[in-house]
């Protein structure tokens, strides 16, 4: 196909059947692509997913077939966009309630969020299929996120536990030499170390406690998925004692389910109100060693509880030595909607508030373990932090 023909074909796909006289007719795969696009973006028209018209046009394709068609003719990134558009434009939640439809869907985080939202109404015969879909997404995310988080946490713990009075067998010679280069003795052509740097001794108990406190309101759906994955990874690290708490107007401790993130996600109930104060109060009650604890609140901060109580608890936690961070989102969705005023008040108390991508989260945890300035770390990563209220 010539360049001009290809350009006309693309314009015909963009503009639809009304451009046929100007751009020419379609055939083969291009025609099938056009039918799939028409079914979604002209849902009331001939062949549309909501078409109920009579006449000579072909009957409307089933949603299950449509899902299969778009996977055949479009790349996976486009498939995911079209699936989301179908849910939003056509209100096709019913497409998630049939096993044959779920089998045709390209799994992604947004679909998992939809299944979580519908988990209470999915028919019994479909639940096994839904779990398989969720497991596929969880497994893919684990492959992408597991090793970076493990490496970041392990490295940060090693550095934070560096032994400054090591036995001979525990000396880290590379770091010891670097730390003592200024003590080079030219006459002896050697370094006389004034400081010995040793490997961290193996801890018999967890070196850090991490509490993930997750807002399960509908707007935080993608953040819930990523938080659960990260929680499961951290729970598998002996050096980190991890707790995971989800909340709306009620608080549920889901720590016992961290070994099975699929079951954990199906246990989340998206939607409902938001009582951040109550959730932070619960987390405060389960913290045993404040100076070794990192509390990560993942919420858009639209508080439905007692704001004054939340701020009081935040001040107490920071004063006790807890590293308290508020993530306004943990997702790839771009700038989130959040309560700017409350974020600024928390920042003034020493609780940095910013949105974080999944790829940046391992670095955040490493910085928290090292007890770095989290606000400065976030700024260095290009993550906009909330400005403290004056």
């Amino acid at each position: 196909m010539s360049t001009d023909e290809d350009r006309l074909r693309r314009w015909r796909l963009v503009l639809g059947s009304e451009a046929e006289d100007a751009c020419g007719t379609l055939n083969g795969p291009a025609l099938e692509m056009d039918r799939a696009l028409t079914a979604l973006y002209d849902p009331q028209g001939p062949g549309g997913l909501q078409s109920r018209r009579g006449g000579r046009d072909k009957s409307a394709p089933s949603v299950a077939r449509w899902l299969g068609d778009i996977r055949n003719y479009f790349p996976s990134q486009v498939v995911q966009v079209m699936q989301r558009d179908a849910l939003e434009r056509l209100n096709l939640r019913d497409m998630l309630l049939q096993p044959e439809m779920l089998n045709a869907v390209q799994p992604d985080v947004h679909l998992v969020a939809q299944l979580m939202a519908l988990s209470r109404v999915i028919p019994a015969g479909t639940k096994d299929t839904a779990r398989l879909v969720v497991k596929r997404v969880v497994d893919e995310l684990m492959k992408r996120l597991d090793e970076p988080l493990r490496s970041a946490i392990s490295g940060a713990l090693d550095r934070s536990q560096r032994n400054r009075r090591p036995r001979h067998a525990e000396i880290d010679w590379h770091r010891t030499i670097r730390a003592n280069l200024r003590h080079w003795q030219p006459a002896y052509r050697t370094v006389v170390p004034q400081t010995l740097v040793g490997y961290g001794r193996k801890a018999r108990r967890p070196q850090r406690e991490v509490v993930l406190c997750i807002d399960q309101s509908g707007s935080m759906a993608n953040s819930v998925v990523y938080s659960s994955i990260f929680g499961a990874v951290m729970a598998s690290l002996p050096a980190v004692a991890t707790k995971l708490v989800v909340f709306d107007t009620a608080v549920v401790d889901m720590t016992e389910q961290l070994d099975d993130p699929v079951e954990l996600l199906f246990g989340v109930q998206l939607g409902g109100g938001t009582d951040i104060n109550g959730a932070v109060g619960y987390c405060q009650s389960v913290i045993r060693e404040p100076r070794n604890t990192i509390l990560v609140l993942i919420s858009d901060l639209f508080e439905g509880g007692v704001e004054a109580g939340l701020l009081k608890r935040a001040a107490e936690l920071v004063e006790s030595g807890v590293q308290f961070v508020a993530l306004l989102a943990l997702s790839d969705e771009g700038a989130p909607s959040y309560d700017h005023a409350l974020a600024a008040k928390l920042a003034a108390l020493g609780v940095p508030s910013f949105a974080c991508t999944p790829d940046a989260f391992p670095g955040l945890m490493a910085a928290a373990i090292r007890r770095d300035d989290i606000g400065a770390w976030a700024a260095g990563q290009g993550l906009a932090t909330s400005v403290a209220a004056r």
Side-chain angles (χ1 to χ4, degrees):
M1 182 180 289
S2 69
T3 302
D4 288 340
E5 290 175 333
D6 183 63
R7 185 181 296 112
L8 287 172
R9 180 180 64 84
R10 289 174 177 272
W11 275 113
R12 168 62 181 79
L13 287 170
V14 169
L15 298 174
S17 60
E18 294 180 357
E20 194 164 284
D21 291 340
C23 300
T25 59
L26 299 173
N27 53 59
L31 180 59
E32 296 302 322
M33 292 172 70
D34 182 63
R35 287 172 177 167
L37 290 167
T38 299
L40 174 60
Y41 296 108
D42 186 17
Q44 300 291 349
L49 291 176
Q50 290 183 346
S51 174
R52 294 294 182 271
R53 298 180 182 178
R56 296 182 180 180
D57 295 300
K58 292 183 179 180
S59 59
S62 69
V63 176
R65 179 183 172 186
W66 179 78
L67 288 168
D69 287 344
I70 64 175
R71 292 182 66 188
N72 286 333
Y73 298 113
F74 299 93
S76 61
Q77 297 92 332
V78 176
V79 168
Q80 293 174 9
V81 171
M82 294 179 73
Q83 287 176 178
R84 290 199 294 273
D85 283 352
L87 288 166
E88 294 171 5
R89 294 168 64 91
L90 309 179
N91 195 27
L92 290 180
R93 291 196 168 203
D94 284 349
M95 84 177 192
L96 301 178
L97 302 180
Q98 300 297 328
E100 62 274 16
M101 295 182 184
L102 285 174
N103 283 326
V105 165
Q106 178 83 26
D108 72 344
V109 171
H110 298 85
L111 177 59
V112 171
Q114 290 290 335
L115 292 174
M116 290 162 56
L118 295 171
S119 62
R120 297 295 180 271
V121 298
I122 292 177
T126 311
K127 285 191 174 180
D128 288 343
T129 308
R131 289 179 194 279
L132 289 175
V133 171
V134 172
K135 188 176 187 305
R136 285 163 61 190
V137 176
V138 168
D139 288 346
E140 289 176 10
L141 290 176
M142 280 288 194
K143 289 178 183 177
R144 168 188 159 195
L145 303 172
D146 183 290
E147 184 54 36
L149 184 60
R150 285 178 182 275
S151 298
I153 290 178
S154 297
L157 285 170
D158 284 345
R159 288 190 289 275
S160 70
Q161 297 296 316
R162 226 18 108 175
N163 183 5
R164 295 293 175 175
R165 299 183 63 183
R167 299 183 179 90
H168 185 271
E170 297 172 339
I171 296 174
D172 184 336
W173 289 108
H174 291 288
R175 285 184 171 83
T176 295
I177 291 170
R178 285 201 299 269
N180 290 276
L181 286 176
R182 65 182 181 277
H183 302 304
W184 169 256
Q185 302 294 318
Y188 297 99
R189 299 181 61 79
T190 189
V191 170
V192 178
Q194 302 297 309
T195 302
L196 297 178
V197 180
Y199 295 103
R201 296 192 179 107
K202 297 294 184 182
R204 295 182 179 179
R205 60 187 179 83
Q207 300 170 35
R208 289 290 188 277
E209 294 183 7
V210 177
V211 182
L212 299 178
C213 185
I214 309 169
D215 182 345
Q216 62 177 351
S217 58
S219 60
M220 301 297 294
N222 291 352
S223 298
V224 173
V225 176
Y226 284 114
S227 302
S228 300
I229 298 296
F230 284 126
V233 174
M234 288 190 289
S236 69
L237 299 173
V240 180
T242 305
K243 295 182 174 64
L244 187 140
V245 175
V246 299
F247 68 92
D248 43 31
T249 53
V251 179
V252 181
D253 191 327
M254 305 192 74
T255 302
E256 296 299 320
Q257 293 177 269
L258 278 171
D259 61 338
D260 188 342
V262 175
E263 284 301 313
L264 190 157
L265 289 171
F266 271 99
V268 171
Q269 297 183 13
L270 293 177
T274 308
D275 184 0
I276 307 173
N277 176 47
V280 171
Y282 174 80
C283 294
Q284 188 176 21
S285 72
V286 300
I287 291 174
R288 297 291 174 257
E289 296 185 27
R291 295 195 176 277
N292 278 330
T293 299
I294 302 163
L295 172 58
V296 183
L297 171 65
I298 303 166
S299 173
D300 53 18
L301 300 181
F302 289 111
E303 172 66 299
V306 182
E307 181 179 304
L310 170 62
L311 294 173
K312 181 174 182 292
R313 292 184 191 281
E316 292 171 352
L317 286 162
V318 172
E319 179 64 25
S320 70
V322 172
Q323 281 196 287
F324 192 174
V325 181
L327 297 186
L328 307 170
L330 179 55
S331 72
D332 292 312
E333 294 296 287
S337 173
Y338 66 96
D339 188 325
H340 292 257
L342 182 51
K345 292 174 184 177
L346 287 171
L349 296 174
V351 181
S353 304
F354 54 92
C356 183
T357 65
D359 289 335
F361 187 79
L364 167 62
M365 294 308 302
I369 287 170
R370 295 192 302 265
R371 301 195 74 86
D372 293 348
D373 183 326
I374 300 300
W377 174 87
Q381 301 296 311
L383 304 174
T385 57
S386 181
V387 178
R390 297 184 181 277

